[in-house]
């Protein structure tokens, strides 16, 4: 399916940047050469990323510094050739999660998933090809801001005057000096610096050196 897309999309003005037909979730990365879109990942029969995209959009609406910081980190990671699942690196989505996780730890962003009090799930196939239920519920930016205004939940308390440059420095410093490589889970769902636990050590990928664990 994605192979056919890669052959067809250039006729519509898209440039194919990457094609990964053998991935767990095959996808093609394209660039819109005639419009405002930059890189876009396109997959088939994979509905979970739709919820992930809505969640990331909600976070970007909570603070104007989120989007430029994410873009800066991605530009740096691509320049250093450490971004791109097709090359065995962290995916672009994983780098975005890392930024949001850092902003949650410094008090700029909440966990919109943790604050969601209802249950909303989606049946999907996991990393090992096993069908299971994924929680997809989260507060929208509007719902969060309304609950803060009504004092149902406390607001984030980070300094509002921190610049994007200062946050970029803090991001790099955190993952260089403070992040517990090999044991800490990067999770925007539960940003409490928790240990990955024995489950991941038993079933996760084996690395010769301490790795980073990103919950997608």
């Amino acid at each position: 399916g994605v192979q056919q897309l890669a052959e067809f999309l250039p006729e519509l003005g898209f440039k194919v940047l990457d094609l990964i037909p053998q991935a767990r979730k095959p996808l093609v990365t394209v660039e819109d050469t005639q419009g405002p879109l930059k890189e876009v990942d396109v997959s088939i029969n994979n509905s979970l990323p739709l919820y992930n995209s809505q969640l990331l959009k909600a976070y970007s609406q909570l603070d104007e510094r989120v989007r430029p910081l994410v873009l800066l980190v991605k530009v740096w990671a691509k320049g250093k050739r450490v971004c791109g699942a097709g090359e065995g690196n962290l995916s672009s989505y994983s780098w975005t999660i890392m930024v949001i996780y850092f902003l949650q730890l410094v008090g700029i962003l909440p966990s919109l998933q943790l604050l969601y009090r209802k249950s909303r799930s989606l049946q999907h196939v996991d990393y090992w090809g096993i069908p299971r239920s994924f929680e997809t519920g989260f507060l929208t930016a509007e719902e969060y801001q309304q609950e803060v205004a009504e004092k149902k939940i406390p607001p984030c308390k980070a300094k509002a005057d921190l610049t994007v440059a200062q946050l970029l420095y803090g991001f790099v410093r955190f993952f260089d000096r403070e992040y517990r490589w090999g044991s800490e889970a990067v999770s925007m769902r539960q940003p409490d610096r928790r240990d990955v636990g024995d489950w991941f050590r038993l079933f996760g990928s084996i690395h010769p050196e301490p790795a980073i664990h990103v919950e997608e």
Side-chain angles (χ1 to χ4, degrees), residues 21 28 41 46 51-52 55 60 63 66 68 75 81 86 90 95 97 99-100 104 107 111 122 124 128 137 148 189 207:
V28 56
D41 290 335
N46 189 16
Y51 294 94
N52 295 338
L55 176 61
S60 69
D63 192 290
V66 175
V75 167
R81 297 186 178 181
L90 291 172
W95 281 103
I97 293 175
V99 172
I100 292 175
Q104 289 171 325
S111 172
L122 173 72
H124 199 68
W128 293 272
V148 169
R189 178 177 57 90
H207 297 274

Side-chain angles (χ1 to χ4, degrees), residues 62-75:
L62 293 180
D63 192 290
E64 62 183 6
R65 296 166 292 184
V66 175
R67 189 170 184 273
L69 182 60
V70 168
L71 292 176
L72 276 173
V73 168
K74 286 185 179 181
V75 167

Side-chain angles (χ1 to χ4, degrees), residues 139-172:
L139 288 183
T140 65
E142 294 78 10
E143 290 170 337
Y144 170 77
Q145 292 165 340
Q146 181 177 351
E147 294 207 9
V148 169
E150 296 174 354
K151 298 183 178 180
K152 294 180 179 179
I153 54 177
C156 292
K157 297 181 179 180
K159 293 182 179 179
D161 59 349
L162 289 173
T163 66
V164 173
Q166 290 172 321
L167 291 173
L168 178 62
Y169 169 80
F171 172 86
V172 174

Side-chain angles (χ1 to χ4, degrees), residues 7-34:
E7 297 171 357
F8 170 72
L9 287 174
E11 300 177 11
L12 302 179
F14 291 93
K15 177 182 178 181
V16 176
L17 301 178
D18 197 10
L19 174 63
I20 315 177
Q22 303 302 325
R24 288 184 292 113
K25 298 295 181 182
L27 61 83
V28 56
T29 301
V30 298
E31 179 182 357
D32 185 2
T33 60
Q34 300 179 4

Side-chain angles (χ1 to χ4, degrees), residues 91-111:
S91 67
S92 177
Y93 180 54
S94 291
W95 281 103
T96 302
I97 293 175
M98 290 168 62
V99 172
I100 292 175
Y101 179 69
F102 166 72
L103 294 177
Q104 289 171 325
L105 293 180
V106 298
I108 290 177
L109 293 177
S111 172

